[in-house]
Amino acid sequence: MRHHVSKVLPYAPDQLLQLVGDVAHYPDFVPWITSMRTWNVRHLGDGVDAVDAEASVGFSFLKETFATRVRRDAHNRQIDVQLISGPFRKLLNRWRFLDAGHGCTRIEFDIEFVFKSRMLETLLRSNFNHAVDKLIACFEARAQALHGAPSATVPPAALPAAAPAE
């Protein structure tokens, strides 16, 4: 499954990059992430680092743990995540934070995954778009909690529609 979200938020790109890149704090504001462990932080170059992260997630019918490698690139304002281990056969996601002008940021979020279990994939497929929308809303609420009510207003012309899942 693949999904793409493009959304303009009234915060600076570097604020949102830092928020999304701070994976250790996800359990503080993403309700289905029950715990997060990070290790193996390493500096890869000027403005680029990586960290390995293990997330435990819990829904009413599902409890899983998976590990990812998170690469944070401040210069390109991009975060790439790839699977280390877990219930997925494949998991990739990318966050990009583009200056949208007027103190706003266009977030481009792409995720692609395949579960090892067809049954698990079938169960989650019907709720996937809703889960991604909720995830983006969690980050938006966290930005407001950390940085206060936005001082910028998103221009109406900058508001895109979300692309459908494939």
Side-chain angles (χ1 to χ4, degrees):
M1 286 187 62
R2 292 184 186 133
H3 191 74
H4 173 79
V5 174
S6 180
K7 184 168 187 172
V8 176
L9 295 180
Y11 298 96
D14 292 335
Q15 289 176 314
L16 295 174
L17 173 77
Q18 183 176 0
L19 187 157
V20 174
D22 187 10
V23 295
H25 284 97
Y26 284 13
D28 296 342
F29 64 95
V30 180
W32 56 86
I33 297 181
T34 58
S35 69
M36 180 71 74
R37 179 176 72 92
T38 60
W39 74 98
N40 198 21
V41 178
R42 57 217 170 273
H43 179 73
L44 302 176
D46 188 31
V48 181
D49 68 8
V51 62
D52 295 338
E54 181 181 75
S56 294
V57 296
F59 299 94
S60 60
F61 62 92
L62 170 71
K63 296 192 184 346
E64 288 286 348
T65 299
F66 63 95
T68 58
R69 180 152 295 136
V70 181
R71 183 181 183 275
R72 303 173 287 206
D73 182 341
H75 291 299
N76 291 310
R77 293 182 174 144
Q78 182 169 303
I79 297 172
D80 292 294
V81 180
Q82 64 182 11
L83 180 67
I84 296 174
S85 65
F88 302 96
R89 199 170 341 156
K90 177 181 188 177
L91 172 65
L92 299 168
N93 71 54
R94 171 172 286 166
W95 295 84
R96 292 186 315 143
F97 307 91
L98 309 169
D99 188 341
H102 309 287
C104 298
T105 300
R106 177 180 302 282
I107 295 175
E108 298 285 337
F109 176 69
D110 292 284
I111 184 167
E112 181 178 354
F113 70 90
V114 177
F115 280 102
K116 290 177 183 174
S117 160
R118 284 195 189 271
M119 183 180 77
L120 190 55
E121 187 157 341
T122 301
L123 283 171
L124 294 178
R125 181 178 292 270
S126 63
N127 293 313
F128 180 65
N129 292 345
H130 178 68
V132 171
D133 291 342
K134 275 193 71 100
L135 178 67
I136 299 297
C138 288
F139 283 100
E140 190 171 357
R142 180 67 168 182
Q144 185 168 353
L146 291 175
H147 304 295
S151 58
T153 303
V154 177
L159 298 173
E166 293 180 13

